[in-house]
Amino acid sequence: MSFRKVVRQSKFRHVFGQPVKNDQCYEDIRVSRVTWDSTFCAVNPKFLAVIVEASGGGAFLVLPLSKTGRIDKAYPTVCGHTGPVLDVDWCPHNDEVIASGSEDCTVMVWQIPENGLASPLTEPVVVLEGHTKRVGIVTWHPTARNVLLSAGCDNVVLIWNVGTAEELYRLDGLHPDLIYNVSWNRNGSLFCSACKDKSVRIIDPRRGTLVAERERAHEGARPMRAIFLADGKVFTTGFSRMSERQLALWDPNLEEPMALQELDSSNGALLPFYDPDTSVVYVCGKGDSSIRYFEITDEPPYIHFLNTFTSKEPQRGMGSMPKRGLEVSKCEIARFYKLHERKCEPIVMTVPRKSDLFQDDLYPDTAGPEAALEAEEWVSGRDANPILISLREAYVPSKQRDLKVSRRNVLSDSRPAVAPSSARLGASTSAVATHTTAPSGGLAGAGEAGKLEEVMQELRALRALVKEQGERIGRLEEQLGRVENGDA
């Protein structure tokens, strides 16, 4: 008689979540009370951004990750918006650049000083004006430099070249109702969206066409979310007709759900966070006090429940750290920044391992901070997957490049020229520039070769010195031996 294996084998079956100690939390932060189903939080390996309450406009806090403890009420904020901020997103290709969308109908892009804010930041590098109602969604292109998507309550999706402040694409006939969320696919050739009309859509932004659509993906009237997975499938969260919260997995054609699971009957919108390296989806409910996590696989039932992290306090929002910001030596596979009413609490997800060695199976090469394409290349029709980096040597980022002003002649199609760096970076700026010009490959290569030669010379000198000292020690020991034997 043969017994079937009851327990599915998975290296993530024992992942556990743990909040950090109190002295590593960010205390006394007045998290925004605006009624919008955004995460209210964005994080990267250098900074934590949290949308906060502000009188007379909109503001968000940007803190260096090391600035834990109580945050002074007078701590400077990013406060250029005239209405409440609804969404923020860090640029994946520059850890000092962040975009924000607001009720004042604008999108602003900010350059954060390398060591954080010393005074309130009121002048954005770019103001992007094109929406007629509040802007609730901003999200950067995953592989093309300076390409930003924004979606507003005017049911319009705009795609911008932040490097020239120009509107690349306006998609205004594809969504008949409020857009709940937007998610790019792995190479940024398509995006999927969840809409108040209960439809999930896959859209080609450069052609402005609908690739696939699923009406009534979830029957309930409450907010849905849809995210792209690495293999092109779509993962959605929503509500049933009986207001039970659901998860679903769809093939790229959005025909029939490959899997549909009901969770519970709470009423908070479910926010999914996806890790393409491990195929684990973390689901956080607004107002819940738990984080559920699931592994997505190719064999039925496709969505496998792993575990639940529970705490006492409900979450107002949540931010997720990119993979390159995690501590690989502690087998940390995810880190969330949970917003309470008055504080932000990091929660670490860990795979228990006995070995201290680098765990190859937990940390495959992951998306790095280098852009695979320039904005112009993406517009011309090129696609590219993210440039991957290894986390084996505890990844060290390269020096960040500033955004600079570039004035483009609207009538010409030539590449933008870089204006003098003394140009004003103000809200009235009609165009912005991309990045500082990187040194040419030849010069960079020559510089690296020179440094390598210096290191080799030092190494050779040290070897010679060690050899010389070794011989000297040998001679001294020989003399000592003769003295002790009375031969000297």
Side-chain angles (χ1 to χ4, degrees):
M1 182 177 175
S2 64
F3 289 95
R4 282 184 61 201
K5 277 189 179 177
V6 179
V7 178
R8 188 181 65 91
Q9 290 298 310
S10 169
K11 57 193 168 213
F12 303 113
R13 206 156 56 86
H14 300 291
V15 170
F16 66 96
Q18 200 166 18
V20 301
K21 293 176 181 170
N22 273 341
D23 60 351
Q24 293 173 286
C25 294
Y26 305 84
E27 303 274 356
D28 217 11
I29 296 173
R30 293 175 300 157
V31 177
S32 175
R33 294 176 178 276
V34 68
T35 52
W36 184 253
D37 278 326
S38 159
T39 58
F40 290 164
C41 178
V43 64
N44 70 19
K46 287 186 79 169
F47 295 111
L48 167 70
V50 180
I51 302 173
V52 292
E53 284 286 291
S55 53
F60 59 95
L61 204 57
V62 174
L63 301 169
L65 289 186
S66 58
K67 187 163 178 59
T68 53
R70 185 178 169 279
I71 307 301
D72 197 299
K73 283 188 172 63
Y75 193 85
T77 58
V78 180
C79 51
H81 284 287
T82 56
V85 177
L86 300 178
D87 196 18
V88 289
D89 193 30
W90 287 105
C91 177
H93 309 125
N94 189 331
D95 287 342
E96 292 162 13
V97 171
I98 188 169
S100 58
S102 164
E103 275 192 16
D104 64 12
C105 309
T106 65
V107 176
M108 293 183 181
V109 179
W110 310 83
Q111 176 92 39
I112 306 299
E114 191 175 348
N115 298 315
L117 298 178
S119 58
L121 187 57
T122 57
E123 296 289 307
V125 183
V126 200
V127 180
L128 304 171
E129 295 176 309
H131 289 283
T132 55
K133 291 188 179 177
R134 60 185 185 164
V135 183
I137 299 166
V138 288
T139 179
W140 293 90
H141 191 284
T143 61
R145 193 189 312 280
N146 292 339
V147 175
L148 179 68
L149 180 151
S150 63
C153 294
D154 49 7
N155 310 335
V156 174
V157 174
L158 294 178
I159 296 175
W160 308 87
N161 180 350
V162 173
T164 56
E166 65 183 319
E167 186 183 295
L168 296 175
Y169 303 102
R170 173 178 284 263
L171 309 171
D172 56 1
L174 297 172
H175 296 93
D177 212 330
L178 179 69
I179 302 165
Y180 286 136
N181 90 304
V182 171
S183 169
W184 290 99
N185 68 352
R186 181 79 164 155
N187 66 3
S189 58
L190 305 169
F191 68 80
C192 67
S193 65
C195 182
K196 195 174 181 180
D197 68 351
K198 302 182 186 176
S199 288
V200 172
R201 296 173 174 86
I202 296 177
I203 293 166
D204 183 331
R206 288 171 293 198
R207 291 193 176 90
T209 56
L210 205 58
V211 176
E213 180 177 9
R214 173 69 188 194
E215 295 178 0
R216 306 184 79 80
H218 294 276
E219 298 276 349
R222 290 181 175 277
M224 296 194 307
R225 285 284 189 283
I227 56 171
F228 256 119
L229 305 186
D231 58 2
K233 295 189 186 81
V234 175
F235 180 88
T236 61
T237 64
F239 290 81
S240 70
R241 191 179 291 152
M242 304 299 290
S243 289
E244 291 181 307
R245 297 198 291 192
Q246 294 178 322
L247 312 175
L249 184 67
W250 309 80
D251 64 23
N253 302 319
L254 300 182
E255 286 168 354
E256 285 299 319
M258 297 170 64
L260 181 66
Q261 289 188 12
E262 292 194 343
L263 287 186
D264 54 30
S265 53
S266 295
N267 58 8
L270 289 168
L271 307 176
F273 294 90
Y274 172 60
D275 178 4
D277 301 332
T278 58
S279 294
V280 175
V281 174
Y282 302 85
V283 179
C284 318
K286 268 279 183 94
D288 287 8
S289 54
S290 64
I291 302 171
R292 294 179 178 90
Y293 34 107
F294 303 82
E295 188 176 0
I296 311 294
T297 64
D298 293 329
E299 68 269 0
Y302 305 110
I303 303 174
H304 303 273
F305 173 73
L306 291 173
N307 210 334
T308 305
F309 164 79
T310 52
S311 58
K312 292 177 183 174
E313 295 289 323
Q315 53 231 15
R316 297 279 299 281
M318 192 75 74
S320 173
M321 173 68 80
K323 210 62 176 284
R324 58 195 172 88
L326 302 179
E327 288 195 45
V328 295
S329 59
K330 296 182 178 174
C331 294
E332 185 181 346
I333 62 162
R335 191 188 312 152
F336 293 99
Y337 287 74
K338 173 181 170 178
L339 298 186
H340 299 243
E341 202 165 320
R342 300 281 298 192
K343 77 170 182 178
C344 176
E345 176 186 42
I347 294 165
V348 175
M349 296 287 179
T350 308
V351 177
R353 290 278 167 100
K354 290 179 180 176
S355 171
D356 290 335
L357 299 175
F358 180 76
Q359 307 292 319
D360 300 81
D361 58 329
L362 299 184
Y363 301 107
D365 289 358
T366 190
E370 280 302 312
L373 297 170
E374 296 298 329
E376 292 81 5
E377 293 176 302
W378 182 73
V379 170
S380 71
R382 282 189 59 193
D383 291 319
N385 284 324
I387 295 175
L388 303 181
I389 57 167
S390 169
L391 298 177
R392 180 178 285 276
E393 300 302 328
Y395 172 70
V396 179
S398 57
K399 182 135 175 46
Q400 303 296 342
R401 302 189 279 188
D402 292 353
L403 277 108
K404 283 200 172 178
V405 175
S406 158
R407 309 224 172 244
R408 175 193 275 263
N409 180 352
V410 179
L411 301 176
S412 106
D413 287 331
S414 60
R415 286 177 70 83
V418 178
S421 59
S422 58
R424 293 275 300 161
L425 302 178
S428 60
T429 308
S430 62
V432 251
T434 75
H435 42 81
T436 55
T437 308
S440 68
L443 288 174
E448 284 178 16
K451 282 182 186 171
L452 186 62
E453 186 54 40
E454 277 181 34
V455 171
M456 292 302 291
Q457 282 179 357
E458 281 185 26
L459 195 59
R460 283 195 286 270
L462 280 169
R463 277 183 180 157
L465 186 62
V466 167
K467 188 179 177 187
E468 187 186 320
Q469 293 297 331
E471 289 171 354
R472 184 165 175 263
I473 288 167
R475 287 197 300 273
L476 288 170
E477 283 178 342
E478 199 178 316
Q479 286 177 13
L480 185 63
R482 286 205 299 271
V483 168
E484 285 176 347
N485 294 332
D487 296 341

